[in-house]
Amino acid sequence: THAKLIVSLYQLTLSSVTARQEGAKQERQRLKRDLHDDLGAKLLQLLHRSDHANQPLVREAIADLRHLLNSKSTEEKDTLIAVNSWREEAEMRCTDHDIELNWQQNIVPAPIDAKTVDNMTSVLRESLSNAVRHASDKEVGICIQGKPDELKIIVTNRFHGQQNGEGNGLKNIKRRMRESGGVCAISQKDNEWQVRLAVTLRH
């Protein structure tokens, strides 16, 4: 009798905890939807009403909102979805800076954890910022290859003279790659600057 009572109490406690966790998850999802719908709509209105000079800043705010909402999720994601999101942001930023984007991708969809997506989003954003800033011929190349167990990214731009050494941006790139268990290689040859990123996808 006591054993049955203990089992019943355990099952009741477990059900209560599960219900609270499910409720918290639903509340987080509701807040994310509200942020996306309400704040996102206001930012889009602001984008359409802004003059040409301020539109890049508003677009970056929209991208930051999407990045924030995605990074707060602990759910597993898909590499193809992540890559398509990166392409959308890269095209937007290059258009704002009158840069031609040469985008290539060959992706086999595979699961990728939210933390890795968060780090790779920041890494690609910083790499693109550097490339846009120093692109001598107003062209930036991004090549992404995704296998079931690995994701590789190459960001390329040409430059005049001597490209600056490793600043805080590149140090942050390497730090985030280490956090994701990935590697980063930076090289320059014949006035071409290249950032190579690779991360293993753990399932």
Side-chain angles (χ1 to χ4, degrees), residues 20-159:
R20 286 201 301 271
Q21 290 176 340
E22 185 62 28
K25 180 180 179 181
Q26 291 177 357
E27 179 65 12
R28 286 196 299 269
Q29 293 298 326
R30 185 190 67 79
L31 289 172
K32 286 177 63 175
R33 287 195 301 269
D34 289 347
L35 276 173
H36 179 274
D37 295 342
D38 297 340
L39 185 55
K42 289 182 174 64
L43 285 172
L44 284 174
Q45 289 180 9
L46 182 60
L47 175 64
H48 294 312
R49 294 177 182 177
S50 299
D51 56 41
H52 183 71
N54 290 320
Q55 284 183 355
L57 182 61
V58 181
R59 288 195 182 99
E60 288 184 12
I62 294 173
D64 286 340
L65 174 62
R66 291 175 179 170
H67 178 57
L68 176 64
L69 294 178
N70 288 332
S71 66
K72 293 306 178 184
S73 172
T74 58
E75 298 174 0
E76 195 174 69
K77 300 180 184 296
D78 182 279
T79 51
L80 184 58
I81 294 175
V83 169
N84 286 338
S85 174
W86 296 338
R87 179 172 187 169
E88 181 181 351
E89 179 178 342
E91 289 176 342
M92 179 181 67
R93 296 184 64 193
C94 285
T95 298
D96 287 337
H97 292 86
D98 295 323
I99 297 289
E100 181 179 347
L101 176 64
N102 180 9
W103 182 280
Q104 300 177 42
Q105 69 181 62
N106 184 8
I107 304 295
V108 177
I112 182 172
D113 65 271
K115 181 61 177 177
T116 300
V117 173
D118 185 24
N119 278 332
M120 296 302 288
T121 299
S122 296
V123 163
L124 183 56
R125 181 177 292 176
E126 184 65 37
S127 300
L128 180 59
S129 293
N130 289 336
V132 167
R133 189 179 305 118
H134 299 291
S136 60
D137 56 359
K138 292 292 185 178
E139 182 176 348
V140 170
I142 296 179
C143 178
I144 302 183
Q145 293 183 330
K147 300 179 181 179
D149 60 347
E150 186 180 44
L151 190 64
K152 291 183 177 180
I153 302 176
I154 303 175
V155 182
T156 306
N157 69 277
R158 298 189 64 79
F159 64 94

Side-chain angles (χ1 to χ4, degrees), residues 147-184:
K147 300 179 181 179
D149 60 347
E150 186 180 44
L151 190 64
K152 291 183 177 180
I153 302 176
I154 303 175
V155 182
T156 306
N157 69 277
R158 298 189 64 79
F159 64 94
H160 288 311
Q162 184 69 26
Q163 183 92 334
N164 292 332
E166 185 172 309
N168 290 330
L170 295 179
K171 290 179 180 178
N172 288 335
I173 288 174
K174 291 184 175 181
R175 176 181 59 79
R176 284 187 175 272
M177 291 303 297
R178 286 195 300 268
E179 288 179 359
S180 296
V183 294
C184 172

